[in-house]
Amino acid sequence: MAAMVTSTTTSATLSSLSLHSSPRFSLLPTSTATTISTRPTFSLSLSSSRSFIPKAADSGAGAGAGAADSDTFFFTNDDADEYDAVYSPPEAPEGFVAPPSFDDGPPETEDEIAAAYEELYGPAYSGVSVLGNDIYVMDSKVKKIGGFGSGVKKEKIRDGFEERVVQVRRVTKVVKGGKQLHFRAVVVVGDKKGQVGVGVGKAKEVIAAVQKSAVNARRNIITVPMTKYLTFPHRSEANYGAAKVMLRPASPGTGVIAGGTVRIVLEMAGVENALGKQLGSNNALNNARATVAAVQKMRQFQDVARERGIPMEELWK
């Protein structure tokens, strides 16, 4: 009997214990109701002092009813509006003008886009190769026009260079099923201001072959050194395959005395007084390339004097 009384007293004492702890922050509003339970239950309170005070439930009668509601909590949000933050943006200074919208502004030009790109990533590719060839003009410069189902046409490039067709020949390729017929075109382009180029291209049609050769010639542009009399600074010779070309300067009023491809190359370069002779082979493409090779060997007197470190008058002695 004494043992039963002792156990009852101990259980009543344990059920009436209240645990107190004070965390740093409160999580939930203050509980306004009390839960009856046989085991300690805790309620979270949120007050202005931000204290966490757990409350133990009564250990009185109604143990059976408390067992069913042992995990039930009641909270109130009376003080929720007290912690609502209100954003107040700063006032604009005097004379402030809002920038226009991105869609309302005028469209950027290609020059502005290129300048912005170079400011971020550095200068763009200049179009000059290591050997000094201007290869900026590529196939992308040729504008393709034409609708669906029609043959694709290409608009002629307008960059100040004139084109002259030197030769168009039919060439065949022997394959398993027979012979394939193509056309090879040799074209010389130049601006008649000292720049000239020779190109070759093949295609199944003559027009396409000429266009391809013109693009190839623009990739191989060279600069022809000339004096104020529009002639060469000195003599030059060059070979290309079996073709040999000799170039000589001439006095004003002489004109271009040359024949075949040599004459076409010199006229497209802008040379007005010169003597030219082709020896060995009559191949148009080889003679044109031999002329270009002879021109590339020429150098201006001022460039040679600068490299030697002597005045230009010393070269005439």
Side-chain angles (χ1 to χ4, degrees), residues 86-161:
V86 179
Y87 173 72
S88 57
E91 297 181 359
E94 296 182 0
F96 173 76
V97 178
S101 176
F102 178 79
D103 299 329
D104 297 341
E108 296 181 346
T109 61
E110 294 184 0
D111 297 338
E112 294 177 350
I113 296 176
Y117 183 86
E118 292 185 359
E119 184 178 356
L120 292 175
Y121 304 103
Y125 179 59
S126 61
V128 179
S129 66
V130 180
L131 300 178
N133 298 334
D134 185 4
I135 57 175
Y136 182 73
V137 180
M138 308 296 285
D139 293 336
S140 59
K141 288 287 183 178
V142 182
K143 182 180 178 182
K144 296 181 179 181
I145 56 176
F148 177 77
S150 62
V152 178
K153 299 181 181 179
K154 293 186 178 181
E155 186 180 357
K156 190 175 181 180
I157 304 174
R158 299 179 181 178
D159 53 358
F161 287 93

